[in-house]
Amino acid sequence: MGRWAGMQAPLLGLALLLLPLLLFQPPPCRGQNIQTAPQNGPHFGFTRAVYHATVYENSAARTYANSKVKMGIHLSQRSWEIRYRVTSGDDEGFFKAEEYVLGDFCFLRIRTKGGNAAILNREIQDNYVLTVKAYVKGEALLETWTKVSIQVLDMNDLRPLFSPTTYSVTIAESTPLRTSIAQVTATDADIGSNGEFYYFFKEKMELFAVHPTSGVVSLSGKLNTDEQNRYDLEILAVDRGMKLYGNNGVSSTAKLFVHVERMNEHAPFMNLVSHSPSWLDKNAVYAMVTVEDLDEGLNGEIDSVVIVGGDPSEQFFVERSDEGEFAIKASESVNWEAYPQGCNLTLQAKDRGTPQKFSSVKVVHIKVNKRQTADTRFEKEVYDVSLNEISPPGTIVAAVKLKPEPDDAEYILTPSADSAFFQMNTLTGVISTARWFTQVSRDVYNLEVLEIDSELKVKVRVTVDDANDNTPTFDQSSYEVLVNESVPVGTNVFTVSAVDEDKGENGYITYSISSLQPLPFKINQFSGVISTTKELDFESSSESYVFVVRASDWGSPYRRESEVNVTVHLENINDNQPLFERVGCQGVIARDFPVDEVITTMSAIDIDELELVKYKIISGNEWGYFDLNPDSGVLSLQRSLSAASPKNGIFSLKITATDGESFSDPMFVNISVVHGKAPPKSFNCKETRVAQKLAEKLLKKSKAGTKPKMEEGFIDLFSVNRQTPQFDKAFPTDIAVREDLNVGSSLMRHKSDRFSIRWRDSLKLYLNLGGRGSQPEGRWSIPSSCSNMSDVSLGKTLNPELPPLLLLWHMNGISEY
């Protein structure tokens, strides 16, 4: 109550101070006796350049700002009638300047406006700097200005607000007393004591306490989840200052949700009992583990027991046998030869509590009682064998055998992902392939062979060697590109690319161009980049080039190749200037030559697609006697020559031709004007043979486009591998041999005439299709009755240019034709 009375006192005093000012209406600032000021009168100005005043926020209309010093102007002349006006600094229109005369001083008073003016709000803006203008009514030259800095004072008009308004926290049941579990936060935009507040619970709480100023919530009682595991607390904030509008100052409510959980306090502990089973036991148990946990409920339940060490190959596993009991077992593939003294496994248990807790680790020794065997072992400790990738199913890989080998030895492949590719003869120990390997990306297969009776095992490592079984494949089925005819020699036109799925040199690719005709291109054999080797000319060469690019790998024993068709189109550009068919023309015309009569005709040719040419007189026709038709090139007389007086009696016309982009070299037409009975006109010019050159270019281009395509027929006949080898029908399906046959003995001899006949038919087909080339008729002859290559004979002496087929025979060591 005392605090509230103390806060009311200053407000009451402020109201009593402002009451006379609100009731008193000031007169205008003018003197009692009005006099006219002299021309150079006394000083007219404010007492200070800047005044400082204060006013409370939310002040009512017509509330005057308070200043510790008097603001205004001394009345040097009683006749002055001074007016004040706010000129800037009050964009919202909060303030109004008023005048009040007392004696010889005109006071400046700043008050808040009435009506619909907005209310001052310190939280939005706490200071205004007003520019006030003073002037004497009726005196245009008497003006002055000053600054008034108005500080907006804070009123306790805002409530404290929570941010956020909801809090949630989870604590353990065993949380000690006086532990801070959460903190709520509220803010009050007022300043000073107006912005101070304190926190308190809406309802009395025995288990929790909130600090009045910091908002920290702490535990003040012992928790019991069996009685209650959740508490919904409501916290309020109360403003300490007197409220402007008389409310109780309570903010919005903040809610704190406290969840109480029973925590996992105890870690599980293990008891281990090891066993030594016999090698004959099936599904043997090597150790039993019992686990206990002193917690109750879910915190005391055992989640699992895991092997955390001693088993890098993961050959052992833990199997739950009963609640809290676990058995240690092994997979069937355990190689006990690798553990002659047994092995040590490190175990750890974990419960299902929150947070989850782990037991301390314990080590159990695992071993097996093995049968004593004689000194029997496999011939090799590890069998390392190589296998070609293209080996068909049934290919023998290796033969494993015990030494000494029992009579009843039986071998099997230990089942695995790798063993699915192989099969084993259980009696002989021979391992062979069960499927193809061409579609498999793996290179090494690890097998394990088990002899059933002795339980001896041996490793077999099969390495698959890559074979050249893949053909290079281009990334496109064909290539087609447009090339500008003006590109420099050596320009990269485009790039072909092929891939080969083989490895090493079997998959290394080089490129080459296959063409019987000369081409203006070359290819980088390693990168596949095709570039120009000659200048390209659309007007004199073929408009497109079609050739084959071949991709070859480096495989062995033979290379694999693939081909792709490439088409290069030349793009015609305007790279030639027009050329005149005749130059250096000289002629004579009579002075009375008729107007509009044709004198001569200009003719220029543009080799670029015979584009239309335009003609123009550059100089020599300044008087306009002549007219040159820009389209036809006809030169005619435009006006009469009766009054013409050319220099030295000669008109020298400089003429040019253009295709719209390029201009020809200029040519001159010299026209002499004569009197009397001269011929009406007479002209002679020098021939440039442009038309003939153009015809030769077009003929060359025509020949380039009509060359016989020998290449296609040749590739189709001999480069494409169309047929597969075939054995003769008489080839035996089985062969009987003696058991004691020596190594290297010949098993059979087979002779077939089909091979020779095919060579003969191929040669005959080549000759029938024009394979004689430039050879005279009768150079090659094949008797109709021949049945092998020796029957093919020559009618005359061989020309050095042998047909490709005969060259191929020669390269294969065939000396008789």
Side-chain angles (χ1 to χ4, degrees):
M1 189 65 179
R3 180 185 299 178
W4 180 251
M7 296 176 63
Q8 285 181 322
L11 293 177
L12 183 58
L14 176 63
L16 294 176
L17 177 64
L18 296 178
L19 183 59
L21 297 178
L22 294 172
L23 299 177
F24 182 73
Q25 187 69 21
C29 282
R30 58 184 173 182
Q32 301 295 333
N33 299 319
I34 300 175
Q35 297 180 1
T36 303
Q39 183 68 24
N40 295 321
H43 173 71
F44 177 71
F46 286 97
T47 57
R48 290 191 181 185
V50 178
Y51 297 101
H52 295 276
T54 60
V55 65
Y56 280 94
E57 65 175 328
N58 301 315
S59 294
R62 303 182 64 83
T63 300
Y64 289 89
N66 183 28
S67 175
K68 293 184 179 180
V69 299
K70 63 181 182 179
M71 303 184 294
I73 300 174
H74 286 283
L75 294 175
S76 299
Q77 293 289 338
R78 296 284 183 165
S79 61
W80 288 350
E81 186 176 345
I82 298 176
R83 293 289 184 268
Y84 297 124
R85 182 165 58 90
V86 177
T87 60
S88 65
D90 185 21
D91 298 335
E92 294 83 0
F94 286 137
F95 304 98
K96 178 176 178 60
E98 289 185 352
E99 313 85 11
Y100 175 70
V101 175
L102 185 61
D104 62 349
F105 192 80
C106 184
F107 285 89
L108 166 64
R109 297 196 301 178
I110 305 296
R111 69 170 177 85
T112 57
K113 287 184 178 181
N116 296 327
I119 301 299
L120 289 173
N121 190 339
R122 184 202 63 80
E123 287 73 30
I124 296 178
Q125 186 171 347
D126 61 355
N127 184 265
Y128 296 86
V129 179
L130 309 180
T131 301
V132 179
K133 174 183 177 182
Y135 62 93
V136 177
K137 189 174 182 181
E139 297 289 341
L141 299 179
L142 292 180
E143 294 180 347
T144 187
W145 288 266
T146 188
K147 298 283 187 182
V148 180
S149 175
I150 299 179
Q151 184 71 29
V152 181
L153 302 179
D154 183 61
M155 297 289 287
N156 193 14
D157 59 336
L158 296 174
R159 300 181 302 169
L161 296 175
F162 281 99
S163 178
T165 60
T166 303
Y167 302 83
S168 180
V169 64
T170 300
I171 61 176
E173 180 186 21
S174 58
T175 302
L177 298 180
R178 293 185 293 279
T179 301
S180 299
I181 61 173
Q183 184 178 18
V184 296
T185 304
T187 57
D188 192 325
D190 291 320
I191 60 175
S193 61
N194 294 334
E196 296 179 357
F197 55 90
Y198 64 89
Y199 303 95
F200 70 97
F201 284 123
K202 185 176 181 181
E203 297 178 358
K204 184 178 180 181
M205 298 297 300
E206 295 181 356
L207 295 179
F208 302 95
V210 59
H211 193 277
T213 58
S214 66
V216 173
V217 179
S218 57
L219 185 65
S220 60
K222 184 169 180 58
L223 300 173
N224 188 344
T225 55
D226 295 331
E227 295 179 0
Q228 188 173 349
N229 59 8
R230 170 174 166 168
Y231 297 87
D232 297 345
L233 310 180
E234 291 188 66
I235 304 174
L236 306 178
V238 175
D239 200 317
R240 294 188 176 187
M242 183 184 70
K243 301 307 293 181
L244 179 63
Y245 303 112
N247 59 38
N248 57 9
V250 176
S251 74
S252 59
T253 302
K255 291 187 177 182
L256 172 61
F257 301 105
V258 181
H259 303 271
V260 182
E261 290 184 352
R262 178 172 288 150
M263 304 305 291
N264 189 12
E265 298 181 6
H266 301 281
F269 58 91
M270 297 183 297
N271 295 312
L272 304 178
V273 178
S274 61
H275 298 273
S276 298
S278 170
W279 62 277
L280 295 174
D281 292 345
K282 300 299 182 181
N283 197 22
V285 176
Y286 297 91
M288 288 298 298
V289 183
T290 59
V291 187
E292 297 181 16
D293 195 313
L294 298 179
D295 290 311
E296 297 180 0
L298 191 64
N299 293 331
E301 293 183 9
I302 305 304
D303 180 69
S304 62
V305 174
V306 294
I307 300 173
V308 296
D311 186 23
S313 301
E314 298 183 356
Q315 300 183 89
F316 298 92
F317 61 92
V318 180
E319 183 179 274
R320 185 188 292 267
S321 60
D322 200 354
E323 185 65 30
E325 293 186 358
F326 300 85
I328 308 299
K329 296 184 178 182
S331 62
E332 296 181 0
S333 60
V334 175
N335 181 16
W336 286 107
E337 298 294 336
Y339 307 103
Q341 304 299 325
C343 60
N344 294 323
L345 301 182
T346 303
L347 306 178
Q348 188 176 41
K350 58 182 177 179
D351 60 22
R352 296 178 180 175
T354 304
Q356 194 173 51
K357 290 197 173 185
F358 297 83
S359 70
S360 58
V361 297
K362 285 195 175 184
V363 177
V364 59
H365 184 70
I366 302 297
K367 65 179 181 179
V368 65
N369 294 325
K370 296 192 62 178
R371 178 181 67 171
Q372 297 296 325
T373 59
D375 188 16
T376 301
R377 61 181 182 272
F378 282 93
E379 292 178 333
K380 296 181 181 180
E381 293 184 0
V382 177
Y383 289 83
D384 274 314
V385 293
S386 298
L387 181 68
N388 194 285
E389 181 185 16
I390 59 176
S391 299
T395 301
I396 294 177
V397 177
V400 299
K401 184 176 292 188
L402 286 176
K403 185 180 181 182
E405 185 179 30
D407 294 337
D408 57 349
E410 185 177 358
Y411 306 93
I412 62 170
L413 283 175
T414 301
S416 66
D418 291 357
S419 66
F421 290 85
F422 302 90
Q423 57 189 4
M424 169 165 263
N425 188 314
T426 57
L427 299 179
T428 63
V430 173
I431 302 173
S432 57
T433 59
R435 62 177 70 176
W436 288 96
F437 292 84
T438 53
Q439 302 299 323
V440 185
S441 59
R442 296 181 55 189
D443 298 333
V444 178
Y445 294 83
N446 293 304
L447 307 177
E448 185 180 68
V449 177
L450 170 67
E451 201 285 316
I452 296 178
D453 290 337
S454 65
E455 290 191 345
L456 294 175
K457 298 178 182 179
V458 69
K459 300 289 185 182
V460 179
R461 183 165 54 245
V462 182
T463 303
V464 178
D465 297 329
D466 182 70
N468 191 22
D469 59 333
N470 290 291
T471 302
T473 304
F474 284 93
D475 59 358
Q476 297 184 26
S477 59
S478 63
Y479 293 87
E480 188 168 4
V481 66
L482 182 66
V483 180
N484 193 313
E485 66 169 325
S486 65
V487 297
V489 176
T491 299
N492 294 338
V493 178
F494 66 101
T495 303
V496 298
S497 178
V499 294
D500 193 317
E501 295 181 359
D502 291 318
K503 301 176 181 178
E505 290 193 350
N506 290 337
Y508 192 80
I509 298 175
T510 53
Y511 304 91
S512 60
I513 293 179
S514 175
S515 176
L516 295 179
Q517 305 299 332
L519 297 172
F521 305 103
K522 67 177 181 179
I523 189 169
N524 186 302
Q525 61 176 335
F526 301 109
S527 65
V529 174
I530 297 178
S531 56
T532 59
T533 57
K534 299 179 181 178
E535 291 185 353
L536 304 177
D537 187 9
F538 183 87
E539 288 72 32
S540 61
S541 63
S542 177
E543 296 181 7
S544 62
Y545 296 89
V546 180
F547 53 92
V548 172
V549 172
R550 180 177 295 122
S552 307
D553 62 24
W554 289 27
S556 61
Y558 53 87
R559 293 187 175 188
R560 288 184 178 269
E561 299 178 340
S562 62
E563 297 178 346
V564 67
N565 291 328
V566 177
T567 303
V568 179
H569 299 284
L570 293 187
E571 182 181 8
N572 186 21
I573 65 170
N574 190 6
D575 58 344
N576 293 285
Q577 66 181 31
L579 300 174
F580 283 99
E581 292 188 77
R582 296 184 302 165
V583 296
C585 296
Q586 297 181 356
V588 176
I589 62 174
R591 185 173 291 276
D592 58 352
F593 192 83
V595 176
D596 295 332
E597 186 72 18
V598 176
I599 299 175
T600 186
T601 301
M602 304 294 103
S603 176
I605 297 176
D606 188 348
I607 299 179
D608 292 313
E609 298 292 344
L610 302 179
E611 294 285 348
L612 295 177
V613 179
K614 302 289 185 179
Y615 303 90
K616 181 181 180 181
I617 299 175
I618 300 176
S619 63
N621 191 32
E622 290 77 7
W623 297 97
Y625 285 104
F626 303 95
D627 175 67
L628 179 62
N629 189 300
D631 298 316
S632 64
V634 172
L635 180 66
S636 59
L637 189 64
Q638 188 170 357
R639 47 183 292 202
S640 174
L641 297 173
S642 59
S645 56
K647 185 178 180 180
N648 299 326
I650 298 175
F651 289 98
S652 181
L653 303 181
K654 186 178 181 181
I655 299 174
T656 186
T658 179
D659 59 6
E661 295 183 9
S662 303
F663 288 87
S664 69
D665 295 334
M667 65 161 289
F668 291 89
V669 177
N670 296 322
I671 302 175
S672 301
V673 181
V674 298
H675 299 275
K677 295 182 179 181
K681 64 177 180 179
S682 174
F683 274 88
N684 60 77
C685 305
K686 180 181 178 181
E687 297 288 340
T688 61
R689 301 180 62 212
V690 172
Q692 180 179 352
K693 293 178 181 178
L694 174 60
E696 291 174 354
K697 268 197 170 186
L698 295 178
L699 181 60
K700 182 179 179 181
K701 179 175 182 178
S702 176
K703 290 182 178 180
T706 58
K707 287 182 179 179
K709 298 185 178 179
M710 297 289 293
E711 183 177 1
E712 295 182 0
F714 176 73
I715 292 177
D716 188 57
L717 285 175
F718 301 103
S719 294
V720 179
N721 188 10
R722 296 178 177 273
Q723 305 296 332
T724 58
Q726 297 181 7
F727 284 101
D728 192 270
K729 294 181 179 179
F731 192 84
T733 57
D734 53 57
I735 304 172
V737 297
R738 299 197 313 272
E739 180 181 3
D740 58 348
L741 192 66
N742 294 329
V743 175
S745 300
S746 176
L747 298 180
M748 63 169 292
R749 181 172 297 170
H750 178 68
K751 180 179 179 181
S752 174
D753 291 337
R754 294 187 64 183
F755 181 81
S756 301
I757 293 173
R758 285 176 182 168
W759 279 101
R760 175 181 176 275
D761 292 342
S762 299
L763 177 61
K764 185 176 181 181
L765 178 61
Y766 176 80
L767 296 177
N768 291 340
L769 291 177
R772 298 180 179 85
S774 60
Q775 305 301 331
E777 189 72 27
R779 284 286 177 96
W780 317 103
S781 62
I782 303 177
S784 59
S785 60
C786 71
S787 60
N788 53 48
M789 289 182 288
S790 62
D791 291 332
V792 182
S793 60
L794 299 176
K796 297 181 181 179
T797 305
L798 281 173
N799 189 287
E801 299 180 0
L802 292 175
L805 183 60
L806 297 183
L807 287 177
L808 185 61
W809 287 1
H810 183 68
M811 291 171 64
N812 283 273
I814 302 174
S815 57
E816 295 183 0
Y817 300 92

